[in-house]
Amino acid sequence: EDKVVQSPLSLVVHEGDTVTLNCSYEVTNFRSLLWYKQEKKAPTFLFMLTSSGIEKKSGRLSSILDKKELFSILNITATQTGDSAVYLCAVPNFGNEKLTFGTGTRLTIIP
Amino acid sequence: NAGVTQTPKFRILKIGQSMTLQCTQDMNHNYMYWYRQDPGMGLKLIYYSVGAGITDKGEVPNGYNVSRSTTEDFPLRLELAAPSQTSVYFCASSPGRGMNTYEQYFGPGTRLTVT
């Protein structure tokens, strides 16, 4: 059965700090890994990674995949209070119709 | 382009009542999903569909039913509501083809309380 494990479960930092969120996975027939941000409402898509070692970047957020070690990291630099959210990692299942989600990392930014 | 819309936003049900949660997407996506999210927990897949007329069970299908008569609509039916079904329900869709096959777009959610 496919598995996605995120760490830490929660993280509290001060505004301006840099954070690194981790996602490790065990999946049959890996296709891609996706990151989502969930504030108080529905998850919103951040990144999809398919190739090892290639960084995806959007503003202060960046993510990279290591297919050999089966993990991905999401970095957020110069954090702001608006970055407070739960960050979810997901991988498509073997049949590719479904996503297996991790339980998420709850990030809290203190002003 | 509204994306994925869900109705209602909130609902309180009594034990044993029935209701249908509506979900519509206007992106011509093939795949649609229903998730539930309990407080402080991750997303659990209830049912999913890879196209009109095709549905399949996810992790937690008991107590729910779905149908997919059109590409756009994917309603979720609760027949006999139980307190354990108190949760936030999210509908999602994804293209199911091409480079963005797995990128799921979520609706705003329905907060359901069963008392």
Side-chain angles (χ1 to χ4, degrees):
Chain A
E1 189 176 312
D2 296 342
K3 200 158 100 171
V4 177
V5 177
Q6 293 186 245
S7 63
L9 290 180
S10 67
L11 189 55
V12 181
V13 301
H14 289 280
E15 202 166 20
D17 288 351
T18 293
V19 297
T20 298
L21 311 183
N22 302 292
C23 174
S24 63
Y25 61 90
E26 293 174 24
V27 60
T28 306
N29 195 20
F30 178 84
R31 300 283 187 183
S32 61
L33 184 144
L34 295 89
W35 283 97
Y36 285 83
K37 176 183 182 183
Q38 185 176 22
E39 295 174 84
K40 291 187 179 177
K41 302 175 192 174
T44 54
F45 174 78
L46 293 174
F47 298 113
M48 183 170 77
L49 302 128
T50 55
S51 302
S52 209
I54 297 177
E55 185 183 53
K56 289 273 181 110
K57 202 166 166 66
S58 176
R60 295 175 295 101
L61 276 68
S62 64
S63 184
I64 198 158
L65 177 68
D66 186 327
K67 286 166 77 172
K68 184 179 174 189
E69 300 297 330
L70 307 183
F71 76 91
S72 173
I73 60 172
L74 176 67
N75 276 324
I76 309 175
T77 59
T79 52
Q80 302 170 357
T81 54
D83 295 326
S84 293
V86 174
Y87 290 84
L88 298 164
C89 169
V91 293
N93 287 13
F94 177 70
N96 296 330
E97 301 93 3
K98 300 178 285 185
L99 291 177
T100 296
F101 282 88
T103 51
T105 293
R106 181 174 297 278
L107 177 63
T108 304
I109 310 297
I110 301 170
Chain B
N1 190 336
V4 181
T5 57
Q6 291 182 238
T7 56
K9 289 185 181 173
F10 304 96
R11 183 72 187 268
I12 299 174
L13 280 182
K14 292 193 188 312
I15 294 171
Q17 285 186 319
S18 302
M19 76 163 295
T20 298
L21 282 66
Q22 301 292 346
C23 174
T24 300
Q25 54 92 9
D26 63 358
M27 297 174 281
N28 198 31
H29 283 174
N30 289 324
Y31 295 176
M32 294 187 76
Y33 310 83
W34 274 106
Y35 294 93
R36 61 176 286 174
Q37 187 174 39
D38 298 334
M41 304 293 284
L43 294 161
K44 292 189 177 176
L45 183 65
I46 306 172
Y47 271 95
Y48 68 101
S49 168
V50 299
I54 305 168
T55 63
D56 211 342
K57 295 177 182 178
E59 297 175 74
V60 289
N62 291 343
Y64 307 95
N65 276 302
V66 293
S67 59
R68 183 108 182 262
S69 55
T70 66
T71 299
E72 295 78 21
D73 300 306
F74 190 41
L76 177 72
R77 178 94 181 146
L78 282 72
E79 289 294 348
L80 291 168
S84 60
Q85 293 178 305
T86 294
S87 191
V88 178
Y89 291 83
F90 290 106
C91 179
S93 71
S94 65
R97 59 182 179 275
M99 284 297 292
N100 299 326
T101 292
Y102 319 118
E103 185 180 322
Q104 292 187 11
Y105 296 81
F106 285 79
T110 294
R111 186 175 294 276
L112 176 68
T113 303
V114 182
T115 61

